[in-house]
Amino acid sequence: MRASYAPIVKETAPAVVNIFTSRTVRTRSIFDDPFFSQFFGTRPGGRERTQSSLGSGVILDPSGLVVTNNHVVEGMEQIRVVLSDLREFEAVLLLADPQADLAVLKVEAGEPLPTLAFANSDEAQVGDIVLAIGNPFGVGQTVSSGIVSALNRTNVSVSDYQFFIQ
């Protein structure tokens, strides 16, 4: 007998997406400082560069609703969602909750997308087996396992109005 998470990973991984974001930022230069500009005058200073961020998300609805972390998309000009089959879509930010660090995106795929359903978190118990699927540091989709080690965690510096499962 072989114990394996492979069947559940095969079923759920297509609904886990990678989120790539970018924006153009202007770096400051010494000439932006009023002290130095009085000696050298105002000069075009700084350069534009592209700032990017990377995260993971989950497709919640076949129409293309995706949930991710707000810190991944906050203030970004371009948001791209990449599916496990490597299809890419531009995404639009629909909702953001910085306090809970959650954001809802919308992609237009033109066809139903694979989804993950919500489970009832009130039924979670300490000791339950859990899987995490994502793309840490842009290395590609990975899977890790663990257990629920605590319920109703508060004061985790993410939110002051929610209980978290650890």
Side-chain angles (χ1 to χ4, degrees), residues 98-101 153-160 162 164:
Q99 190 174 16
D101 194 26
R153 285 283 191 232
T154 57
N155 300 320
V156 291
S157 75
V158 176
S159 172
D160 59 358
Q162 195 61 263
F164 292 89

Side-chain angles (χ1 to χ4, degrees), residues 59-93:
I59 304 169
L60 298 179
D61 186 84
S63 69
L65 291 179
V66 177
V67 67
T68 188
N69 293 103
N70 182 65
H71 71 265
V72 172
V73 298
E74 187 172 36
M76 294 299 182
E77 296 164 352
Q78 183 181 38
I79 305 170
R80 296 201 56 80
V81 172
V82 180
L83 278 58
S84 63
D85 63 10
L86 302 181
R87 288 184 291 162
E88 294 187 27
F89 302 99
E90 288 287 329
V92 175
L93 178 63

